[in-house]
């Protein structure tokens, strides 16, 4: 379970772009109480209170998928947006940004 935020979606390779797209939806469903899985995962907890930002991140991921030629057909479900949430993104990181960049580069074979 991983969100590469705050890294820009353009920095992700296809595998990580698709994975984050799927995992963001899984986390949002857990936060909305629609599934029990991953509710206690640290990455899921980081996004609690940020459902509007999750939709924004999804929309950015989807736009990048389309730009790369993928056939994106999964709009963000409205039931995953909590009207009480602000538009802000999480400010906490599970690891330093430089560590995230290094991990991404290693996974993409760029390190």
């Amino acid at each position: 379970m991983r969100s590469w935020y705050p890294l820009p979606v353009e920095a992700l390779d296809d595998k990580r772009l698709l994975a984050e797209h799927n995992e963001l939806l899984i986390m949002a469903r857990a936060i909305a109480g629609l599934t029990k899985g991953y509710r206690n995962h640290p990455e899921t907890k980081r996004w609690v209170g940020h459902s509007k930002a999750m939709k924004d991140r999804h929309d950015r991921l989807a736009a990048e998928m389309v730009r790369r030629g993928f056939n994106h057909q999964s709009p963000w479900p409205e039931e995953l947006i909590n009207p009480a949430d602000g538009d802000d993104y999480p400010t906490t990181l599970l690891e330093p940004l430089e560590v995230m960049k290094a991990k991404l580069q290693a996974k993409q074979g760029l390190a």
Side-chain angles (χ1 to χ4, degrees):
M1 181 64 55
R2 172 178 285 283
S3 165
W4 289 99
Y5 173 78
L7 299 178
V9 297
E10 299 83 8
L12 305 177
D13 63 7
D14 289 352
K15 184 176 179 178
R16 263 128 299 268
L17 183 72
L18 296 170
E20 183 175 344
H21 175 265
N22 293 331
E23 291 172 355
L24 204 61
L25 283 164
I26 292 168
M27 288 187 290
R29 290 186 185 286
I31 291 168
L34 300 175
T35 183
K36 292 181 182 180
Y38 297 104
R39 271 188 303 173
N40 294 315
H41 191 283
E43 188 67 39
T44 303
K45 288 181 176 183
R46 179 169 85 109
W47 284 93
V48 170
H50 301 281
S51 64
K52 293 177 184 174
M54 290 181 95
K55 180 192 181 306
D56 181 67
R57 180 69 175 184
H58 167 270
D59 292 349
R60 291 170 188 260
L61 291 162
E64 182 64 15
M65 289 166 64
V66 169
R67 189 189 72 75
R68 295 184 192 186
F70 290 97
N71 184 16
H72 179 265
Q73 296 292 325
S74 57
W76 192 259
E78 290 298 317
E79 67 266 18
L80 300 182
I81 300 172
N82 182 345
D85 289 350
D87 294 334
D88 59 321
Y89 274 76
T91 56
T92 58
L93 296 176
L94 298 181
E95 55 197 6
L97 186 57
E98 292 305 317
V99 172
M100 288 180 75
K101 287 179 183 177
K103 282 185 177 181
L104 179 62
Q105 288 177 340
K107 288 181 179 288
Q108 296 179 152
L110 303 174

